[in-house]
Each structure stands twice: as C-alpha cells, then as structure tokens.
Amino acid sequence: MTLRNKQGKETQRSLRLKVMEAQEEGDRTLFVFDHPRDVKGTAFLVHAHKTGPDKQWLYLPALKRVKGISASKQSGSFMGSEFSYEDMGAVEVGKFTHRFIREKPCGDLKCLVLERIPKSQDSGYSRQVVWLDREELRTIQVHYFDRRNEHLKTMVVEGYAKYLDRFWRSSTITMTNLLTGKSTVLLWSDYEFGTDLDAKDFTKTALKRIR
C-alpha cells in the first residue's frame, strides 16, 4: 500500500490479505498489516453480507482492543488511505440498484458502463459509475460520487492475470481523491488459492491472536 499526498510524498505499508469464500452469508476477509512499525499487527476483519452493510472490526495492537466499525462509520478513511472502510467491503449485486448507461471503448477493450446506487442510507456515496469489460466482466474503473452527487474519487484497476485458468485477479488498484489530490495504490502479489483456511481465524475474538 502506497499513500501519496498532493505533493507526491509517499508512505509505504505492507499487508497480507486472506479471503474465505462462503456460499450463504458472504465472504470473510482479513487484512493484517506487517510494516511499518506504527501499524504492525493492526488487523481488519470483514464479514460480508449479500444485502445490507457488512460487519467490520478493527484490531489496534497498541490498545489491545477490537473496535467495531458501525455501518454509519464505514464511509471513513481506511487506515488513512483514500479507500474507505466501505470500499474494503464486499460488492454484492443485492446492495445496489443498477442501471445500464452505454457501451464504450476502454483502451483495447469494450466496456459496459453501469450506474449502481447503494441501497444503504449509511453509504458515503450517492452513486457509482462502473466500467466493466464486456468479455470477462472485470472491473476496469469506478467513479464514486459523494452524497452531494459530486465526483469524489476514481478507482482504476490494472494488471489482470488469470490464475488456475479460472480466477481473474489484478496486480494494481489505484484510488485517487479528486478533491484533495491524494491517492492510494495497492500492489497485489503472491496470490494463492485453495489454501483451506480455517473459519476460526475469521472471528472477532481471533483478531487479538493475529501475528
């Protein structure tokens, strides 16, 4: 994770991500920060839901405390980045109403441009405009509009590769705040699949044992 301010000054962080897929209630996602020292051991847990806000918890090692992130607080900044807690949750079809806008070229691809409006009144966004490539339905970019319907942020997703001939995953996700000029870049690597994760590691009480 690279945090970049308006002047271009950068702060680097490293983290691990685990995702356990679930058929019924939604996926379980765990973020663990490893570097630098001031964020080492910080962990963020998401229990996704098909409809309605996700349940989220943040473990702060300095306080040895697990803090719940309520739905009304999920529009806040995730670890000082340009991503919100809401952005780190699950994007499920049932959480939005959708409207097709048009088809449009996006680089060498053709994209479907869609508008999705969050159903939750606690969302920090009035709407989102999403570019999906027509062939694989991969997210190419998303424009986020705040509650005043102003274009607040743009997320660009790049470097897709196909793993195990099934799973498309990106290597770079960039979120740019158009109002502040700040940006955050997530560089993903070392993907592993079929790792037989343990559900006990994706609980609120397990956060305090994270290493």
Side-chain angles (χ1 to χ4, degrees):
M1 173 184 281
T2 300
L3 283 67
R4 186 177 296 120
N5 67 15
K6 187 176 182 179
Q7 290 73 38
K9 183 179 179 180
E10 296 183 352
T11 301
Q12 303 283 344
R13 295 173 176 173
S14 63
L15 63 152
R16 289 169 282 140
L17 171 65
K18 295 181 181 180
V19 180
M20 187 177 70
E21 295 182 344
Q23 292 291 334
E24 300 299 328
E25 288 298 319
D27 295 347
R28 303 290 185 256
T29 305
L30 177 64
F31 299 79
V32 182
F33 285 82
D34 294 323
H35 183 82
R37 187 173 180 178
D38 63 337
V39 298
K40 180 177 174 62
T42 301
F44 177 57
L45 175 65
V46 180
H47 284 190
H49 294 295
K50 301 291 186 181
T51 60
D54 299 334
K55 290 185 178 179
Q56 300 182 343
W57 299 271
L58 184 69
Y59 174 62
L60 303 169
L63 302 177
K64 297 183 179 179
R65 176 171 170 251
V66 176
K67 174 185 176 183
I69 309 296
S70 66
S72 62
K73 301 294 185 183
Q74 290 180 16
S75 59
S77 169
F78 172 63
M79 296 293 291
S81 74
E82 298 314 305
F83 291 87
S84 68
Y85 289 99
E86 182 178 354
D87 299 331
M88 310 311 288
V91 179
E92 297 284 355
V93 171
K95 293 181 178 182
F96 304 89
T97 58
H98 301 263
R99 181 174 68 91
F100 173 76
I101 300 176
R102 62 182 180 275
E103 287 192 20
K104 188 175 182 179
C106 48
D108 296 330
L109 303 172
K110 287 188 176 180
C111 279
L112 306 174
V113 184
L114 311 173
E115 179 185 69
R116 61 189 184 204
I117 298 175
K119 293 181 179 178
S120 172
Q121 296 299 310
D122 291 314
S123 175
Y125 307 117
S126 60
R127 62 191 180 100
Q128 303 168 18
V129 178
V130 186
W131 275 253
L132 303 173
D133 79 86
R134 192 171 64 180
E135 296 301 319
E136 300 289 348
L137 299 180
R138 298 168 297 189
T139 299
I140 304 301
Q141 62 176 304
V142 183
H143 292 184
Y144 297 87
F145 294 80
D146 64 18
R147 300 303 297 184
R148 295 172 305 219
N149 202 31
E150 294 183 3
H151 187 180
L152 174 64
K153 300 188 298 187
T154 295
M155 183 178 75
V156 176
V157 187
E158 301 172 288
Y160 277 104
K162 197 173 189 180
Y163 296 84
L164 303 181
D165 202 34
R166 292 177 59 195
F167 308 109
W168 285 104
R169 295 292 185 272
S170 66
S171 63
T172 308
I173 303 176
T174 303
M175 183 73 85
T176 302
N177 189 311
L178 302 182
L179 299 185
T180 66
K182 296 179 180 180
S183 63
T184 299
V185 181
L186 295 173
L187 298 177
W188 299 108
S189 63
D190 303 323
Y191 282 108
E192 297 180 24
F193 298 88
T195 52
D196 195 25
L197 297 173
D198 193 327
K200 296 194 299 291
D201 294 330
F202 293 83
T203 65
K204 178 183 173 181
T205 54
L207 282 177
K208 294 182 179 181
R209 304 193 302 267
I210 295 296
R211 294 291 183 271

